[in-house]
Amino acid sequence: METTAYEYETERLDHLGIVAGICKQIELAKVIDESLPTPSGRKVSCGQATVAMVLNALGLTGRALYLMPEYMNNKPVDILLEAGLKAEDFNDDTLGRSLDELFQAGITELFARVAARAVAEFNIEYEYVHLDTSSFSLHGEYESEVAQEAVSRRGAIEVTHGYSKEKRPDLKQVVVSLITSQQSALPLWLEALDGNSSDKKSFAETVQAYCKQLETDELPWFVMDSAGYSKANLAQWDNVQWLTRVPETIAEAKRALQSVVTEEMTALDNGCRVHALDSDYGQVQQRWLVVYSPKAWEREVKRLDKQIARAGEKTGKELRRLAQAQFACEADARKAVQRLENKMKWHSVQAQYNPVKKHIQPGRPATGVAPTIVGWKVQGQLSVKQEAIAQARQWLGRFILATNELDTERMSDSAMLVAYKAQGHSVERGFRFLKDPMFFADSLFLKSPARIMAMIMVMGLALLVYALAERELRHQLQAQNETVPDQKGKPTQTPTMRRVAQMFEGVDVLVIRFGDQVLERRVLNLSKERLKILRLLGPDVENCYLVGN
């Protein structure tokens, strides 16, 4: 007599339900599938495969994409993605073809469409956006026929050598251009560019392209670093509001940086001091703001002191070598010291010129015969140019901001500084995320520049989902005056998604089967704190944890 036993199985859910819930709320898979020129026609659509890759990227495992079936094997695939899908459906062929379809749909346009959907769904308003680029180094030559065909015929980027912001000039690279919102650090626009692309040129093109796709007449402020500040770019941005740092290599900027002593600058509440100037650089009327930052001054003084110390060590060695040399005449010795001093910025030489005397004739010299001068030697000592150093320190800790908003009522001096400094919390944070080895896993798919472009977009989508979840949780915590514990157990209203992921470790799905029939599915280990987070994030996330089902 045959009997059928109950079977129990657990599947790992952890924080992935939050990721999947946000993807469902912004309809990520649907937006992608509807944007394709032709439907995928596979069991796993391009949109579903993209969501799976986002889940992989935010899974905190660093697992390569070709191991996706292994990664998904112990996950509740039907909850995270769609009923009927299994882990083995996400094989390398499915993911590779999906990357090709993403490229064909246009990664920049597709990313902008998803971002616009997210902004509308979460009702996000932003006045300032931050633009910057960064390089991504890649191992390999990318000179195969597949790679060359992708560049020449399909319009893919060229993986090549260029200025490496990662300080790896030995590796080929691609450049990624990113626009993020200021307060929420949400990625709104993403482009993959050739490895040797120039920021001065790409910034202008990116601003114009981003403005063109916006379905509104109210354009945001563009906040950029000094790479965007050039006469050519300013001439193109007559209809754009911009705020950028001014390159200190410009002659007018050099004069402006030393146009006022620190004590005469206007003090702000944050400890900085500012001094406003008018400028028409590039024949564009604009407002310059010379900024003095005490923290920047301290950093730059330390850097200057190290430079002076290194210069002193180098010059000291040269002076010792000079002291060992013998010169034919005093004039030659003085010229040698002068040549050394000409190379010295922070030091000077206190030199004595001593004749080298010797009796020419062999043997004991006769009484009253004076020795003959046969050469000259230098005996010197280094001294620091204290006045030059004090003069240099006086102008440290300064930089210049520029904007085409001349009305200080619309943008005050302090608002200029706040908007610019937010650059480090928005777009630079985005690049740190994209380059984090925990998120950016290497992949065997990246043999073609076309797939590299598509994979960069997938990582951008992972950043978008990550930022959305973090923003929404913080927003709801503040709106409802609630908190969650941070790593030290103290209450906070600004948790990171990394912290939330830690809090959700150990959340599993228990599956109870009787034969081929699933009798019950139950999510385990949903503590009070975890349930609170799910409630704050909304029904799409709650559904991924079977809350209320």
Side-chain angles (χ1 to χ4, degrees):
M1 178 178 174
E2 294 185 2
T3 60
T4 302
Y6 288 97
E7 295 181 359
Y8 300 88
E9 179 185 1
T10 57
E11 298 171 323
R12 293 289 301 274
L13 185 55
D14 296 334
H15 66 286
L16 293 180
I18 297 176
V19 177
I22 297 297
C23 289
K24 291 177 181 181
Q25 188 169 352
I26 64 175
E27 298 181 313
L28 176 57
K30 180 181 178 181
V31 172
I32 289 176
D33 288 334
E34 290 180 349
S35 302
L36 299 181
T38 56
S40 301
R42 298 186 302 275
K43 180 180 180 181
V44 178
S45 72
C46 179
Q48 291 167 338
T50 301
V51 173
M53 287 186 275
V54 170
L55 288 167
N56 178 288
L58 296 179
L60 307 182
T61 64
R63 195 169 308 192
L65 287 183
Y66 68 92
L67 297 175
M68 179 70 83
E70 177 184 300
Y71 173 73
M72 299 293 286
N73 188 49
N74 65 340
K75 307 293 189 301
V77 177
D78 56 339
I79 293 177
L80 298 174
L81 290 153
E82 187 173 314
L85 296 180
K86 299 180 180 179
E88 55 265 29
D89 295 329
F90 297 90
N91 52 57
D92 55 358
D93 180 68
T94 295
L95 300 183
R97 289 178 180 273
S98 297
L99 289 173
D100 291 336
E101 290 172 338
L102 291 175
F103 169 77
Q104 293 168 3
I107 67 158
T108 299
E109 297 80 4
L110 191 52
F111 184 88
R113 202 169 294 129
V114 174
R117 175 72 183 85
V119 168
E121 172 64 27
F122 285 89
N123 194 28
I124 298 172
E125 297 181 357
Y126 52 91
E127 184 179 5
Y128 298 94
V129 296
H130 293 257
L131 166 62
D132 204 353
T133 65
S134 190
S135 57
F136 287 70
S137 300
L138 299 169
H139 294 270
E141 293 300 319
Y142 295 92
E143 294 178 354
S144 65
E145 291 184 9
V146 173
Q148 296 301 318
E149 185 270 340
V151 175
S152 61
R153 296 187 179 181
R154 300 170 62 192
I157 57 174
E158 183 177 0
V159 182
T160 185
H161 293 285
Y163 174 70
S164 176
K165 297 183 180 181
E166 295 185 317
K167 302 188 185 302
R168 288 299 306 268
D170 56 311
L171 297 179
K172 291 186 176 181
Q173 64 180 24
V174 297
V175 173
V176 175
S177 180
L178 188 66
I179 293 179
T180 64
S181 65
Q182 177 170 304
Q183 291 187 340
S184 305
L186 291 175
L188 305 170
W189 181 266
L190 180 145
E191 288 179 280
L193 306 172
D194 291 340
N196 59 357
S197 66
S198 166
D199 285 357
K200 289 184 178 180
K201 181 180 179 182
S202 68
F203 274 25
E205 295 172 348
T206 297
V207 169
Q208 297 293 353
Y210 179 72
C211 291
K212 186 177 180 180
Q213 60 87 37
L214 289 177
E215 297 179 355
T216 177
D217 294 331
E218 296 183 8
L219 300 178
W221 286 89
F222 287 88
V223 183
M224 295 163 282
D225 218 330
S226 59
Y229 192 88
S230 68
K231 291 181 179 180
N233 287 354
L234 299 184
Q236 295 184 53
W237 293 338
D238 56 341
N239 62 334
V240 174
Q241 296 172 308
W242 50 262
L243 168 63
T244 178
R245 185 164 175 165
V246 178
E248 295 171 11
T249 54
I250 297 174
E252 184 179 342
K254 292 179 180 179
R255 293 191 296 270
L257 285 169
Q258 299 185 12
S259 62
V260 58
V261 296
T262 302
E263 292 73 18
E264 294 180 2
M265 301 173 74
T266 303
L268 301 180
D269 294 338
N270 59 4
C272 293
R273 289 177 175 268
V274 296
H275 178 66
L277 297 170
D278 294 327
S279 174
D280 60 354
Y281 181 79
Q283 298 183 337
V284 175
Q285 291 297 315
Q286 55 197 275
R287 194 165 110 238
W288 280 16
L289 191 68
V290 180
V291 180
Y292 164 78
S293 167
K295 292 182 179 179
W297 185 86
E298 291 178 2
R299 290 194 304 269
E300 292 177 17
V301 164
K302 290 180 180 179
R303 192 180 307 128
L304 176 63
D305 289 344
K306 289 180 180 180
Q307 291 175 356
I308 294 172
R310 286 195 297 267
E313 292 176 5
K314 181 180 178 181
T315 306
K317 291 179 181 179
E318 294 185 22
L319 185 58
R320 286 191 291 272
R321 283 196 295 268
L322 201 64
Q324 295 173 0
Q326 183 170 307
F327 300 91
C329 60
E330 183 179 358
D332 287 349
R334 291 184 179 275
K335 287 179 181 179
V337 171
Q338 186 60 53
R339 284 195 297 269
L340 179 60
E341 284 198 309
N342 289 342
K343 297 188 296 183
M344 296 160 52
K345 185 175 182 180
W346 307 114
H347 299 84
S348 60
V349 177
Q350 308 299 321
Q352 289 182 342
Y353 303 93
N354 303 316
V356 179
K357 297 180 180 181
K358 186 177 181 182
H359 290 280
I360 303 299
Q361 298 298 326
R364 179 180 295 179
T367 303
V369 177
T372 303
I373 297 177
V374 296
W376 289 80
K377 300 202 77 171
V378 175
Q379 183 179 2
Q381 195 171 22
L382 280 183
S383 62
V384 178
K385 297 179 181 177
Q386 297 292 353
E387 186 176 342
I389 294 174
Q391 182 72 6
R393 286 185 174 185
Q394 180 181 1
W395 310 114
L396 294 180
R398 297 183 174 210
F399 58 92
I400 302 175
L401 301 179
T403 179
N404 58 345
E405 178 52 72
L406 305 180
D407 188 351
T408 56
E409 294 294 326
R410 293 190 59 190
M411 177 179 278
S412 65
D413 293 344
S414 59
M416 284 179 66
L417 185 57
V418 169
Y420 177 75
K421 285 195 169 184
Q423 183 105 338
H425 303 292
S426 54
V427 67
E428 291 178 10
R429 180 193 179 199
F431 283 128
R432 287 194 298 271
F433 174 94
L434 293 178
K435 295 184 179 186
D436 190 331
M438 185 65 73
F439 296 110
F440 201 99
D442 196 4
S443 171
L444 291 183
F445 297 112
L446 306 186
K447 297 177 181 179
S448 163
R451 288 187 175 181
I452 290 174
M453 294 175 67
M455 191 61 204
I456 287 172
M457 191 204 77
V458 171
M459 297 311 302
L461 292 174
L463 171 59
L464 175 65
V465 172
Y466 182 97
L468 284 170
E470 188 173 272
R471 174 198 177 276
E472 182 63 12
L473 179 57
R474 291 178 175 185
H475 175 74
Q476 292 299 332
L477 284 170
Q478 293 170 9
Q480 302 188 33
N481 196 27
E482 297 196 55
T483 63
V484 295
D486 63 11
Q487 286 90 336
K488 297 181 180 179
K490 296 181 179 180
T492 180
Q493 291 185 327
T494 57
T496 65
M497 266 304 295
R498 277 185 188 265
R499 171 57 184 155
V500 174
Q502 293 171 351
M503 293 179 66
F504 273 76
E505 289 178 359
V507 175
D508 296 330
V509 177
L510 174 64
V511 182
I512 304 175
R513 291 189 176 90
F514 186 79
D516 295 332
Q517 183 181 5
V518 175
L519 297 182
E520 185 179 357
R521 305 186 76 179
R522 183 182 303 169
V523 178
L524 306 178
N525 304 321
L526 285 180
S527 64
K528 182 179 179 181
E529 285 294 338
R530 289 166 175 166
L531 285 170
K532 176 169 65 176
I533 291 173
L534 299 181
R535 171 176 55 81
L536 293 172
L537 288 173
D540 286 296
V541 173
E542 286 183 307
N543 290 340
C544 291
Y545 290 87
L546 307 182
V547 175
N549 291 353

